[in-house]
Amino acid sequence: MINNLMAFLRLKSILWILFIVNLLGTIYGYYWYRFQIEETVYWLRIFVPDSPTASLFLCIVLLGYLMNQQNGLIEALAFVSLIKYGIWAVVMNCFVLFIQKELNLTAYLLIFSHAAMAFEAILFAPFFKVKAWQLIVASIVILQDVIFDYVFNTMPTYYMLFQYRDWIGLFTFYLSVFAIFLGYSLLLKKNRLKLNILR
């Protein structure tokens, strides 16, 4: 079954579908953040849209595969950010559901799409060719984003969760550590799969 799944991911048509779906999701993600980006001081704006930047990394990875190219640094950034922000958004929206006892359709779509982001990271991890220094760079990026989010207030706006901000910040830090540890466990294995694209 695993071999069949790996072969499925090598299909050029599937890679194109995943690229287009993730590209549309990335565009919508930046659109979703539009108001917060506008309200943020210009030099911090790049740190506001977390999830769409994670899916943008994956789009670059997928486009590289379609062009028979790989970049270990982008793959490392894609993996840790997809795991972190994919899980984070699912947990936060479930937390909102717990508090408010209801969610709108957009929130349910966010849960599904962000769970898919983390799932894609796991699916493509065997193909990633990441070196230790590349994972270190990605780890620094993902950890410094915690600083920008909870010191400079660039985290996603969930007004109903504001009173839990400190606890959410602590959770986010340890989630970042988990994403890095998972990357260390899955990305630095010696026996990597080759992504020989099938027509």
Side-chain angles (χ1 to χ4, degrees), residues 57-108:
F57 286 138
L58 181 60
C59 287
I60 296 172
V61 169
L62 294 173
L63 187 60
Y65 289 168
L66 290 164
M67 300 173 64
N68 294 313
Q69 297 180 4
Q70 285 189 250
N71 185 304
L73 179 58
I74 299 299
E75 289 175 335
L77 287 166
F79 182 87
V80 295
S81 58
L82 287 169
I83 292 294
K84 175 183 175 179
Y85 301 121
I87 295 175
W88 189 92
V90 171
V91 172
M92 289 305 108
N93 281 282
C94 288
F95 193 17
V96 172
L97 175 61
F98 176 77
I99 292 174
Q100 297 193 154
K101 309 304 180 185
E102 63 179 1
L103 288 176
N104 57 31
L105 178 60
T106 299
Y108 282 111

Side-chain angles (χ1 to χ4, degrees), residues 4-155:
N4 290 337
L5 179 59
M6 294 298 103
F8 183 73
L9 293 177
R10 290 187 174 99
L11 292 174
K12 193 170 187 177
S13 58
I14 297 302
L15 290 174
W16 272 115
I17 290 172
L18 290 175
F19 171 75
I20 293 171
V21 169
N22 280 281
L23 181 61
L24 293 174
T26 299
I27 293 171
Y28 175 76
Y30 284 112
Y31 174 78
W32 189 86
Y33 275 100
R34 66 193 185 282
F35 297 121
Q36 188 175 348
I37 292 174
E38 291 175 359
E39 294 170 358
T40 302
V41 62
Y42 72 94
W43 69 275
L44 286 173
R45 289 179 179 177
I46 192 175
F47 302 105
V48 172
D50 295 328
S51 297
T53 300
S55 59
L56 178 62
F57 286 138
L58 181 60
C59 287
I60 296 172
V61 169
L62 294 173
L63 187 60
Y65 289 168
L66 290 164
M67 300 173 64
N68 294 313
Q69 297 180 4
Q70 285 189 250
N71 185 304
L73 179 58
I74 299 299
E75 289 175 335
L77 287 166
F79 182 87
V80 295
S81 58
L82 287 169
I83 292 294
K84 175 183 175 179
Y85 301 121
I87 295 175
W88 189 92
V90 171
V91 172
M92 289 305 108
N93 281 282
C94 288
F95 193 17
V96 172
L97 175 61
F98 176 77
I99 292 174
Q100 297 193 154
K101 309 304 180 185
E102 63 179 1
L103 288 176
N104 57 31
L105 178 60
T106 299
Y108 282 111
L109 290 175
L110 287 174
I111 290 174
F112 173 79
S113 61
H114 284 77
M117 286 169 54
F119 184 62
E120 284 179 301
I122 299 298
L123 278 181
F124 281 99
F127 298 112
F128 289 173
K129 294 181 179 179
V130 175
K131 297 178 181 178
W133 73 266
Q134 294 168 333
L135 182 58
I136 290 172
V137 171
S139 301
I140 293 171
V141 170
I142 211 73
L143 287 172
Q144 62 87 32
D145 194 59
V146 177
I147 297 173
F148 281 102
D149 277 353
Y150 295 94
V151 175
F152 295 99
N153 297 315
T154 62
M155 69 285 192

Side-chain angles (χ1 to χ4, degrees), residues 166-184:
D166 292 342
W167 290 105
I168 292 174
L170 187 63
F171 164 75
T172 304
F173 170 76
Y174 283 110
L175 179 59
S176 302
V177 173
F178 169 75
I180 294 167
F181 176 77
L182 194 61
Y184 175 82

